[in-house]
Amino acid sequence: MHPTEPPLQRIQFYLTAQYDCSYLPGQSARSQVATPTHLIDGSAYGALIRAGFRRSGQFTYRPHCEACQACVPVRVEVDKFIPNRTQRRCRKRNHHLTARFLPLDFKDEHYALYRRYLGSRHAGGGMDKDGPEQYTQFLLSSNVDSVMVEFRDDETLVMVAVVDQIENGLSAVYTFFDPDREQDSLGVYGVLWQIELAQRLEVSHLYLGYWIAESRKMAYKKQYGPLEGLVDGRWQELDA
């Protein structure tokens, strides 16, 4: 079923060939891809996000697997979000970090941290072999309102996040951080910081991509409730 909002009337959609699912072992997957890229401006991209799509570089897609509905697009209702005790501790532990907004430019320091992160967290997954060109295509190529945020502990770079701004919301594209600082729960702090940014900007939602109950890598998103999921074509609050 194709999205029908007015900004999408000139957008076309195609299905990819099947490929190995990155999250559920032994499963195959397909994606529905929006094209052409140059027509996916801020308005169209916002409509696509609301229809369950995500962005990887200039590649805008959503899962389209005939025999599996495990990937659920999710978003945080930022005005209703109340951090739990563990999240409050994480926020306090990292409150001294300084955040700086930057354009999507290549920096050797960022790329080195990206490689360290993937080598530790996603070894053998393919992305850990990404060279500068793949990194640039993945995180630094965007036709929409995107920003890179770097987080430093004094002078030391500890985390980088790429965030898209859409109509009345933010989309968390990707975050990578120092894998040697596991005790600081930087990944959790990155989500909490983006929720706070959405609150400061007075937008209603932070989109977190896909929640997959059976995937340990993705199940953590249920911690940021109340969480809405796009189920049967309608955004609705997921059970806690």
Side-chain angles (χ1 to χ4, degrees):
M1 181 177 180
H2 292 175
T4 56
E5 292 193 40
L8 302 182
Q9 290 177 351
R10 294 196 297 161
I11 304 297
Q12 298 179 336
F13 302 88
Y14 71 88
L15 292 177
T16 68
Q18 289 191 346
Y19 53 90
D20 291 338
C21 179
S22 302
Y23 301 104
L24 300 178
Q27 296 272 29
S28 60
R30 297 181 78 183
S31 293
Q32 184 182 45
V33 179
T35 190
T37 299
H38 71 273
L39 292 181
I40 302 177
D41 57 11
S43 178
Y45 180 61
L48 287 167
I49 289 285
R50 291 190 293 272
F53 282 74
R54 288 285 283 168
R55 182 179 71 80
S56 175
Q58 296 189 18
F59 181 78
T60 307
Y61 70 96
R62 67 179 175 184
H64 192 91
C65 307
E66 289 84 352
C68 179
Q69 304 296 320
C71 293
V72 179
V74 291
R75 65 188 189 184
V76 181
E77 299 179 85
V78 298
D79 286 343
K80 296 182 181 180
F81 174 74
I82 299 176
N84 60 32
R85 185 178 182 183
T86 300
Q87 290 165 343
R88 291 196 300 271
R89 286 178 173 173
C90 174
R91 191 165 58 188
K92 183 177 181 180
R93 189 183 310 124
N94 293 288
H95 78 281
H96 65 288
L97 300 182
T98 57
R100 185 167 68 132
F101 293 90
L102 299 170
L104 302 185
D105 292 333
F106 185 93
K107 293 183 180 299
D108 289 334
E109 188 181 22
H110 293 172
Y111 175 63
L113 180 62
Y114 174 77
R115 288 296 304 269
R116 285 182 54 218
Y117 170 78
L118 291 179
S120 174
R121 292 300 186 97
H122 302 287
M127 287 179 65
D128 56 324
K129 305 297 184 183
D130 281 2
E133 183 177 350
Q134 289 82 7
Y135 168 78
T136 298
Q137 291 175 350
F138 175 39
L139 290 179
L140 308 183
S141 301
S142 173
N143 287 336
V144 298
D145 187 3
S146 305
V147 66
M148 179 171 276
V149 189
E150 66 169 26
F151 297 81
R152 292 185 180 272
D153 185 350
D154 196 7
E155 297 297 320
T156 303
L157 178 70
V158 297
M159 182 165 61
V160 175
V162 176
V163 187
D164 291 340
Q165 184 161 6
I166 62 172
E167 182 182 1
N168 206 29
L170 298 177
S171 178
V173 177
Y174 199 74
T175 299
F176 55 94
F177 50 84
D178 186 343
D180 295 331
R181 298 178 61 133
E182 188 170 350
Q183 73 281 359
D184 293 332
S185 302
L186 290 170
V188 174
Y189 181 69
V191 177
L192 296 174
W193 187 91
Q194 290 177 68
I195 291 173
E196 292 179 355
L197 176 62
Q199 292 170 339
R200 294 198 302 271
L201 294 174
E202 298 182 342
V203 297
S204 60
H205 295 97
L206 172 66
Y207 291 80
L208 291 180
Y210 304 110
W211 168 67
I212 304 172
E214 297 85 359
S215 170
R216 184 163 162 259
K217 291 180 181 179
M218 307 294 270
Y220 73 91
K221 297 177 184 182
K222 285 294 289 288
Q223 300 172 16
Y224 302 96
L227 198 66
E228 290 185 330
L230 185 60
V231 180
D232 296 328
R234 182 171 66 88
W235 287 99
Q236 51 192 288
E237 193 166 312
L238 299 176
D239 295 333

